[in-house]
Short mmCIF file of all heavy atoms in Angstrom, two decimals:
data_model
loop_
_atom_site.label_atom_id
_atom_site.label_comp_id
_atom_site.label_asym_id
_atom_site.label_seq_id
_atom_site.Cartn_x
_atom_site.Cartn_y
_atom_site.Cartn_z
N GLY A 999 115.95 86.51 62.48
CA GLY A 999 115.04 86.44 63.56
C GLY A 999 114.73 85.07 64.02
O GLY A 999 114.64 84.79 65.22
N VAL A 1000 114.49 84.13 63.01
CA VAL A 1000 114.16 82.81 63.40
C VAL A 1000 115.35 82.18 64.10
O VAL A 1000 115.19 81.47 65.16
CB VAL A 1000 113.86 82.01 62.10
CG1 VAL A 1000 113.76 80.49 62.42
CG2 VAL A 1000 112.45 82.50 61.51
N LEU A 1001 116.57 82.28 63.68
CA LEU A 1001 117.79 81.72 64.29
C LEU A 1001 117.91 82.33 65.66
O LEU A 1001 118.18 81.60 66.60
CB LEU A 1001 118.98 82.03 63.45
CG LEU A 1001 119.07 81.30 62.11
CD1 LEU A 1001 120.30 81.70 61.33
CD2 LEU A 1001 119.03 79.79 62.29
N ALA A 1002 117.79 83.68 65.83
CA ALA A 1002 117.90 84.23 67.13
C ALA A 1002 116.78 83.74 68.17
O ALA A 1002 117.09 83.48 69.35
CB ALA A 1002 117.76 85.80 67.04
N SER A 1003 115.68 83.48 67.61
CA SER A 1003 114.51 83.01 68.45
C SER A 1003 114.82 81.55 68.85
O SER A 1003 114.66 81.20 70.09
CB SER A 1003 113.25 82.97 67.69
OG SER A 1003 112.87 84.29 67.28
N PHE A 1004 115.40 80.72 68.03
CA PHE A 1004 115.79 79.36 68.47
C PHE A 1004 116.95 79.51 69.49
O PHE A 1004 116.92 78.58 70.38
CB PHE A 1004 116.20 78.60 67.21
CG PHE A 1004 115.06 77.90 66.49
CD1 PHE A 1004 114.55 78.44 65.40
CD2 PHE A 1004 114.52 76.80 67.03
CE1 PHE A 1004 113.43 77.84 64.71
CE2 PHE A 1004 113.37 76.05 66.38
CZ PHE A 1004 112.83 76.66 65.27
N LEU A 1005 117.84 80.26 69.29
CA LEU A 1005 118.98 80.39 70.23
C LEU A 1005 118.46 80.86 71.56
O LEU A 1005 118.92 80.37 72.66
CB LEU A 1005 120.05 81.31 69.73
CG LEU A 1005 120.85 80.88 68.53
CD1 LEU A 1005 121.82 81.92 68.05
CD2 LEU A 1005 121.63 79.53 68.85
N LEU A 1006 117.61 81.82 71.55
CA LEU A 1006 117.02 82.35 72.82
C LEU A 1006 116.14 81.31 73.44
O LEU A 1006 116.15 81.16 74.75
CB LEU A 1006 116.12 83.54 72.54
CG LEU A 1006 115.45 84.25 73.75
CD1 LEU A 1006 116.55 84.73 74.67
CD2 LEU A 1006 114.66 85.49 73.29
N ARG A 1007 115.44 80.50 72.69
CA ARG A 1007 114.66 79.30 73.32
C ARG A 1007 115.57 78.35 73.97
O ARG A 1007 115.31 77.82 75.06
CB ARG A 1007 113.79 78.69 72.12
CG ARG A 1007 113.07 77.49 72.66
CD ARG A 1007 112.28 76.89 71.54
NE ARG A 1007 111.40 75.74 71.95
CZ ARG A 1007 111.73 74.54 71.67
NH1 ARG A 1007 112.93 74.28 70.97
NH2 ARG A 1007 111.04 73.46 71.98
N HIS A 1008 116.64 77.98 73.30
CA HIS A 1008 117.56 77.07 73.88
C HIS A 1008 118.13 77.58 75.21
O HIS A 1008 118.30 76.93 76.17
CB HIS A 1008 118.77 76.77 72.85
CG HIS A 1008 119.80 75.87 73.39
ND1 HIS A 1008 119.56 74.49 73.67
CD2 HIS A 1008 121.05 76.19 73.82
CE1 HIS A 1008 120.69 73.95 74.12
NE2 HIS A 1008 121.61 74.96 74.25
N ARG A 1009 118.57 78.89 75.14
CA ARG A 1009 119.10 79.52 76.35
C ARG A 1009 118.20 79.62 77.50
O ARG A 1009 118.42 79.38 78.65
CB ARG A 1009 119.71 80.84 76.04
CG ARG A 1009 120.26 81.59 77.35
CD ARG A 1009 120.96 82.87 76.97
NE ARG A 1009 121.40 83.61 78.07
CZ ARG A 1009 122.52 83.35 78.80
NH1 ARG A 1009 123.16 82.26 78.54
NH2 ARG A 1009 122.77 84.11 79.84
N LEU A 1010 116.83 79.89 77.17
CA LEU A 1010 115.81 80.01 78.17
C LEU A 1010 115.64 78.64 78.82
O LEU A 1010 115.42 78.59 80.03
CB LEU A 1010 114.57 80.52 77.46
CG LEU A 1010 113.31 80.62 78.42
CD1 LEU A 1010 113.70 81.80 79.42
CD2 LEU A 1010 112.11 81.16 77.64
N ARG A 1011 115.63 77.57 77.99
CA ARG A 1011 115.45 76.22 78.57
C ARG A 1011 116.63 75.89 79.46
O ARG A 1011 116.42 75.20 80.47
CB ARG A 1011 115.20 75.19 77.48
CG ARG A 1011 113.97 75.38 76.64
CD ARG A 1011 113.71 74.13 75.69
NE ARG A 1011 113.59 72.96 76.51
CZ ARG A 1011 113.42 71.74 76.00
NH1 ARG A 1011 113.41 71.71 74.55
NH2 ARG A 1011 113.33 70.67 76.68
N ARG A 1012 117.80 76.26 79.10
CA ARG A 1012 118.95 75.92 79.91
C ARG A 1012 118.96 76.67 81.21
O ARG A 1012 119.22 76.16 82.25
CB ARG A 1012 120.25 76.25 79.12
CG ARG A 1012 121.54 75.81 79.83
CD ARG A 1012 122.72 75.94 78.99
NE ARG A 1012 123.01 77.27 78.48
CZ ARG A 1012 123.68 78.14 79.22
NH1 ARG A 1012 124.27 77.79 80.32
NH2 ARG A 1012 123.91 79.36 78.85
N LEU A 1013 118.57 78.04 81.13
CA LEU A 1013 118.58 78.78 82.35
C LEU A 1013 117.49 78.38 83.33
O LEU A 1013 117.65 78.50 84.53
CB LEU A 1013 118.40 80.30 81.95
CG LEU A 1013 119.53 80.96 81.28
CD1 LEU A 1013 119.20 82.43 80.97
CD2 LEU A 1013 120.83 80.90 82.12
N THR A 1014 116.29 77.90 82.76
CA THR A 1014 115.23 77.54 83.62
C THR A 1014 115.28 76.03 83.87
O THR A 1014 114.27 75.51 84.55
CB THR A 1014 113.88 77.88 83.06
OG1 THR A 1014 113.80 77.25 81.71
CG2 THR A 1014 113.80 79.41 82.73
N LEU A 1015 116.29 75.30 83.53
CA LEU A 1015 116.37 73.94 83.71
C LEU A 1015 115.19 73.10 83.14
O LEU A 1015 114.84 72.06 83.62
CB LEU A 1015 116.57 73.54 85.18
CG LEU A 1015 117.84 74.29 85.85
CD1 LEU A 1015 117.83 73.89 87.43
CD2 LEU A 1015 119.08 73.89 85.20
N GLY A 1016 114.66 73.67 82.10
CA GLY A 1016 113.51 73.02 81.47
C GLY A 1016 112.20 73.17 82.27
O GLY A 1016 111.23 72.45 81.98
N LEU A 1017 112.10 74.01 83.27
CA LEU A 1017 111.01 74.16 84.11
C LEU A 1017 109.98 75.13 83.51
O LEU A 1017 110.40 76.14 82.86
CB LEU A 1017 111.36 74.61 85.48
CG LEU A 1017 112.31 73.58 86.27
CD1 LEU A 1017 112.64 74.27 87.65
CD2 LEU A 1017 111.54 72.31 86.46
N GLU A 1018 108.75 74.94 83.82
CA GLU A 1018 107.65 75.89 83.33
C GLU A 1018 107.54 77.04 84.34
O GLU A 1018 107.97 76.85 85.49
CB GLU A 1018 106.38 75.08 83.17
CG GLU A 1018 106.35 74.07 82.11
CD GLU A 1018 106.64 74.67 80.71
OE1 GLU A 1018 105.83 75.59 80.31
OE2 GLU A 1018 107.54 74.29 80.06
N PRO A 1019 107.01 78.13 83.91
CA PRO A 1019 106.80 79.26 84.83
C PRO A 1019 106.01 78.87 86.11
O PRO A 1019 106.49 79.36 87.25
CB PRO A 1019 106.05 80.36 84.06
CG PRO A 1019 106.44 80.05 82.59
CD PRO A 1019 106.60 78.51 82.53
N GLU A 1020 105.05 78.11 86.01
CA GLU A 1020 104.33 77.69 87.10
C GLU A 1020 105.19 76.87 88.13
O GLU A 1020 105.19 77.04 89.29
CB GLU A 1020 103.14 76.81 86.69
CG GLU A 1020 102.04 77.63 85.93
CD GLU A 1020 102.41 77.67 84.50
OE1 GLU A 1020 103.43 77.13 84.13
OE2 GLU A 1020 101.75 78.37 83.69
N GLU A 1021 106.00 75.99 87.55
CA GLU A 1021 106.90 75.23 88.42
C GLU A 1021 107.96 76.07 89.09
O GLU A 1021 108.34 75.84 90.21
CB GLU A 1021 107.66 74.08 87.43
CG GLU A 1021 106.60 73.11 86.96
CD GLU A 1021 107.32 72.18 85.93
OE1 GLU A 1021 108.18 72.62 85.12
OE2 GLU A 1021 106.95 71.04 85.94
N ILE A 1022 108.50 77.10 88.30
CA ILE A 1022 109.50 78.00 88.94
C ILE A 1022 108.77 78.85 90.07
O ILE A 1022 109.41 78.91 91.08
CB ILE A 1022 109.99 78.96 87.73
CG1 ILE A 1022 110.80 78.17 86.74
CG2 ILE A 1022 110.92 80.00 88.52
CD1 ILE A 1022 111.28 78.99 85.65
N SER A 1023 107.58 79.22 89.80
CA SER A 1023 106.90 79.97 90.84
C SER A 1023 106.75 79.11 92.13
O SER A 1023 106.87 79.55 93.27
CB SER A 1023 105.54 80.49 90.41
OG SER A 1023 104.83 81.14 91.44
N THR A 1024 106.27 77.88 91.88
CA THR A 1024 106.10 76.99 92.99
C THR A 1024 107.44 76.72 93.78
O THR A 1024 107.47 76.62 94.97
CB THR A 1024 105.52 75.57 92.55
OG1 THR A 1024 104.24 75.86 91.85
CG2 THR A 1024 105.30 74.59 93.64
N LEU A 1025 108.46 76.55 92.95
CA LEU A 1025 109.86 76.20 93.64
C LEU A 1025 110.25 77.47 94.43
O LEU A 1025 110.82 77.32 95.49
CB LEU A 1025 110.80 76.01 92.51
CG LEU A 1025 110.82 74.64 91.88
CD1 LEU A 1025 111.89 74.59 90.73
CD2 LEU A 1025 111.01 73.54 92.92
N VAL A 1026 109.95 78.72 93.91
CA VAL A 1026 110.32 79.91 94.70
C VAL A 1026 109.63 79.91 95.98
O VAL A 1026 110.13 80.24 97.09
CB VAL A 1026 110.07 81.12 93.87
CG1 VAL A 1026 110.28 82.43 94.75
CG2 VAL A 1026 111.10 81.20 92.71
N HIS A 1027 108.25 79.68 95.92
CA HIS A 1027 107.47 79.75 97.20
C HIS A 1027 107.94 78.64 98.14
O HIS A 1027 108.08 78.88 99.31
CB HIS A 1027 105.99 79.51 96.86
CG HIS A 1027 105.28 80.67 96.27
ND1 HIS A 1027 105.28 80.93 94.92
CD2 HIS A 1027 104.78 81.82 96.82
CE1 HIS A 1027 104.63 82.09 94.68
NE2 HIS A 1027 104.34 82.60 95.84
N ASP A 1028 108.16 77.46 97.59
CA ASP A 1028 108.69 76.37 98.47
C ASP A 1028 110.03 76.70 99.09
O ASP A 1028 110.34 76.43 100.22
CB ASP A 1028 108.76 75.07 97.70
CG ASP A 1028 107.43 74.57 97.29
OD1 ASP A 1028 106.39 75.05 97.86
OD2 ASP A 1028 107.35 73.70 96.39
N GLN A 1029 110.95 77.33 98.28
CA GLN A 1029 112.26 77.64 98.72
C GLN A 1029 112.22 78.70 99.90
O GLN A 1029 112.81 78.55 100.93
CB GLN A 1029 113.11 78.21 97.64
CG GLN A 1029 114.55 78.62 98.08
CD GLN A 1029 115.27 79.35 97.09
OE1 GLN A 1029 114.71 79.95 96.21
NE2 GLN A 1029 116.58 79.41 97.08
N VAL A 1030 111.43 79.69 99.71
CA VAL A 1030 111.19 80.67 100.75
C VAL A 1030 110.56 80.03 101.98
O VAL A 1030 111.11 80.28 103.15
CB VAL A 1030 110.35 81.87 100.31
CG1 VAL A 1030 109.99 82.78 101.42
CG2 VAL A 1030 110.97 82.59 99.21
N ALA A 1031 109.63 79.23 101.83
CA ALA A 1031 109.03 78.60 103.04
C ALA A 1031 109.97 77.62 103.79
O ALA A 1031 110.00 77.71 104.97
CB ALA A 1031 107.81 77.79 102.56
N VAL A 1032 110.79 76.92 103.01
CA VAL A 1032 111.70 75.97 103.59
C VAL A 1032 112.89 76.68 104.24
O VAL A 1032 113.24 76.49 105.40
CB VAL A 1032 112.13 74.89 102.56
CG1 VAL A 1032 113.18 73.99 103.18
CG2 VAL A 1032 110.98 74.00 102.27
N LEU A 1033 113.49 77.53 103.45
CA LEU A 1033 114.79 78.15 103.93
C LEU A 1033 114.52 79.09 105.15
O LEU A 1033 115.38 79.23 106.08
CB LEU A 1033 115.42 78.99 102.75
CG LEU A 1033 116.01 78.10 101.68
CD1 LEU A 1033 116.60 78.96 100.61
CD2 LEU A 1033 116.96 77.09 102.10
N GLN A 1034 113.41 79.77 105.16
CA GLN A 1034 113.13 80.70 106.30
C GLN A 1034 112.29 80.04 107.39
O GLN A 1034 112.24 80.60 108.48
CB GLN A 1034 112.29 81.88 105.72
CG GLN A 1034 112.96 82.68 104.57
CD GLN A 1034 114.35 83.12 104.88
OE1 GLN A 1034 114.64 83.42 106.01
NE2 GLN A 1034 115.21 83.19 103.93
N GLY A 1035 111.89 78.77 107.16
CA GLY A 1035 111.06 78.16 108.16
C GLY A 1035 111.90 77.17 108.96
O GLY A 1035 111.50 76.81 110.08
N VAL A 1036 113.01 76.68 108.48
CA VAL A 1036 113.77 75.71 109.20
C VAL A 1036 114.68 76.45 110.15
O VAL A 1036 115.14 77.60 110.04
CB VAL A 1036 114.65 74.80 108.22
CG1 VAL A 1036 113.71 74.08 107.34
CG2 VAL A 1036 115.64 75.65 107.42
#
Side-chain angles (χ1 to χ4, degrees):
V1000 170
L1001 292 177
S1003 298
F1004 273 102
L1005 291 176
L1006 184 58
R1007 175 176 181 260
H1008 176 71
R1009 176 170 175 77
L1010 183 62
R1011 292 191 62 182
R1012 185 170 63 86
L1013 291 177
T1014 60
L1015 304 178
L1017 299 175
E1018 295 298 303
E1020 297 81 3
E1021 296 173 324
I1022 295 175
S1023 176
T1024 302
L1025 284 177
V1026 171
H1027 285 90
D1028 293 344
Q1029 179 189 25
V1030 173
V1032 171
L1033 293 182
Q1034 304 304 328
V1036 298

